Amino acid sequence: MTRALILGGTADASLLAAEIARARIDAVYSYGGRTRAPADQPLPTRIGGFGGVSGLADYIRRERITYVIDATHPFAAEMSRHAVEASAETGTPLIALERAPWTRVPGDNWIEVHDVNAAVAALPEAAAKVFLAIGRQHIAPFATKPQHAYTLRFVDPPEAPLPFAADVVVSRGPFTLEGELEMMRTRGIAWIVARNSGGDGARAKIDAARMLGLPVIMIARPRLPERVRVESVAEIMQWLGHRACLGA
């Protein structure tokens, strides 16, 4: 019996869910719960955390999960680490669907840093208009540089007060190059802070920054435990089909 658990929340995970549904593979799609109105999926869906490694391991056993697919955001490091540990504890095959990171091309003006605190330090001391394209859970450290005029973009309106005054844009991607150029020009954006998420859905802001000659403070991906990793839905389907044929 094949029963897959998709740890999702990304556009790639939605594409995978659609392909798995078409193949009529028994699977559950799991949202972490950060987005209040997540996109509908063609699979049975659960929302919320598991309760750490032990909770995820218990879920895998209870639901008789035979394969775990980590299709979370490249910066969802805690969930990815939990998936590695819970899969090892339960002896469940694990694979990660992880888009390739962006790479610098001619014309890019990147300042590459290791984490959010380093990104804060890399911002200038003089007041500037800054687009923080990093997700709401990572913005608090920027309160140490309140002189800047920040623009934030969220999928949902913020429920709690922000740690600093900001222009909040509520919108769901993917975003177009034309739209990103317009947003940056109308708001007078001078700096961009981004995480190296990779993929096409969020790349438009990086291309727009290059066209406008804007500096981008690029936060590197967190280090994760060693695991099987692929970059396409087709490779995931091949992995599932190969193991199903073997009766693993």
Side-chain angles (χ1 to χ4, degrees):
M1 183 190 72
T2 296
R3 182 166 168 78
L5 171 63
I6 302 173
L7 304 174
T10 62
D12 292 334
S14 293
L15 292 174
L16 174 63
E19 191 66 25
I20 283 181
R22 278 193 291 270
R24 298 187 178 182
I25 296 173
D26 186 13
V28 178
Y29 188 105
S30 177
Y31 276 111
R34 293 189 183 278
T35 302
R36 293 202 296 276
D40 291 336
Q41 299 297 336
L43 296 171
T45 302
R46 67 173 301 282
I47 299 175
F50 292 94
V53 174
S54 62
L56 178 55
D58 288 344
Y59 181 88
I60 291 170
R61 294 187 186 99
R62 183 173 66 253
E63 296 297 321
R64 298 183 180 180
I65 299 299
T66 57
Y67 308 103
V68 177
I69 304 166
D70 180 3
T72 58
H73 192 277
F75 282 78
E78 183 177 61
M79 186 70 254
S80 292
R81 293 186 184 107
H82 289 178
V84 170
E85 293 182 39
S87 296
E89 181 180 323
T90 58
T92 309
L94 166 72
I95 195 169
L97 176 58
E98 183 181 312
R99 65 192 85 154
W102 297 316
T103 56
R104 187 196 300 257
V105 302
D108 282 329
N109 179 13
W110 289 6
I111 300 169
E112 297 181 81
V113 298
H114 292 296
D115 56 28
V116 170
N117 289 331
V120 175
L123 282 174
E125 293 303 321
K129 294 184 177 181
V130 180
F131 176 32
L132 294 183
I134 58 173
R136 74 183 69 194
Q137 65 268 34
H138 303 293
I139 65 173
F142 291 89
T144 60
K145 287 192 172 177
Q147 69 269 33
H148 298 309
Y150 294 107
T151 292
L152 311 176
R153 184 163 61 197
F154 299 146
V155 174
D156 302 309
E159 293 181 315
L162 299 173
F164 47 77
D167 176 17
V168 177
V169 178
V170 179
S171 183
R172 185 190 296 268
F175 302 100
T176 65
L177 176 60
E178 294 75 17
E180 297 292 63
L181 287 168
E182 176 69 14
M183 185 274 290
M184 293 178 192
R185 285 171 175 151
T186 57
R187 288 174 168 77
I189 299 298
W191 287 76
I192 297 169
V193 181
R195 299 178 296 176
N196 196 333
S197 303
D200 297 327
R203 187 182 177 85
K205 62 179 175 287
I206 306 303
D207 295 334
R210 183 189 316 112
M211 292 179 67
L212 297 174
L214 301 180
V216 177
I217 299 174
M218 186 66 75
I219 303 172
R221 294 182 179 185
R223 293 183 180 275
L224 293 173
E226 192 67 29
R227 59 203 175 141
V228 177
R229 187 188 73 83
V230 297
E231 296 179 3
S232 71
V233 170
E235 290 172 289
I236 295 287
M237 297 304 292
Q238 183 179 26
W239 182 78
L240 286 172
H242 174 68
R243 289 188 175 277
C245 290
L246 291 177

